[in-house]
Amino acid sequence: LGVPGANANLFGLDPSTGTVTQITNHTKYHVRHPSLDPKSGRVSYQCGADLYMVDVRSSSSNNYGTTRPRQGTKISISWGGMPGGNPLGASDWRLASPAEEVDEFAPSPDGTNVALIIRGTLWEMAALGGPAVRLGSEGIRYSCVIYTRTGHI
C-alpha cells in the first residue's frame, strides 16, 4: 500500500550498522525498475518517462551516496539516433522509435481496440491508448492480422 502524496525512491542499507539512507528524492513520479552495476556502483532506473543513473558509491560520509537525497543524472536518449554516437554530440544511446517497429495493425470493428504486429509478435490494446496485451504463442512470427466482424482476431 502506498502512502498518499509520497513517491517511491531508492534507499540504501548499510548491513554492518542497519542504517537506511535515502538515495534519490523524486517528488513527481515513483522510481521504477532499478538496476545496479556492482562494478561501478551505479544504479540506472526509470522515473516517469525518463531514465536516470545515480552513483551510489559517490564520495560522502557513507557508502550509499551523499547524505542528502538527490535526483540521479538524466540519461539522454536519441530516438532514431546514430548507433555508436554522433559526431555532432547527440546521445550515444539509440532506441528505435516504437512506431517504426509496427509491421501491421488492424482496428476492431467497433473501433475500441487495435491489433498490432510488432517485430513479428501479436499484440492488442485499446485504441485510445493504455497497456498492450501480448497474444499468440511464443516462438511464432506473425505476419498478418485482421479482426472478424464479431471482434475476434
Side-chain angles (χ1 to χ4, degrees):
L1 296 174
V3 177
N7 285 314
N9 278 283
L10 291 179
F11 289 80
L13 170 67
D14 184 337
S16 63
T17 65
T19 304
V20 175
T21 305
Q22 185 173 351
I23 297 171
T24 62
N25 187 27
H26 290 278
T27 57
K28 192 169 183 181
Y29 299 105
H30 294 300
V31 169
R32 298 187 184 276
H33 313 295
S35 179
L36 171 68
D37 176 9
K39 289 184 180 179
S40 69
R42 293 182 296 186
V43 174
S44 59
Y45 60 91
Q46 173 192 349
C47 185
D50 297 314
L51 297 177
Y52 291 85
M53 187 172 298
V54 65
D55 183 355
V56 296
R57 293 186 189 163
S58 62
S59 61
S60 70
S61 61
N62 62 49
N63 293 330
Y64 299 101
T66 62
T67 54
R68 254 184 337 177
R70 67 211 185 268
Q71 288 188 359
T73 303
K74 189 173 174 181
I75 299 172
S76 174
I77 295 179
S78 175
W79 290 95
M82 296 175 63
N86 183 325
L88 301 177
S91 169
D92 287 345
W93 292 71
R94 188 212 183 279
L95 297 177
S97 169
E100 293 174 8
E101 300 297 321
V102 175
D103 299 322
E104 191 170 323
F105 68 94
S108 64
D110 64 2
T112 59
N113 292 324
V114 62
L116 305 144
I117 295 178
I118 302 171
R119 301 182 69 201
T121 305
L122 181 60
W123 299 84
E124 185 178 36
M125 65 182 289
L128 297 177
V133 176
R134 186 175 180 170
L135 305 174
S137 300
E138 184 103 14
I140 295 177
R141 188 167 183 85
Y142 293 88
S143 61
C144 180
V145 63
I146 190 167
Y147 279 92
T148 65
R149 282 181 267 175
T150 58
H152 295 90
I153 298 176

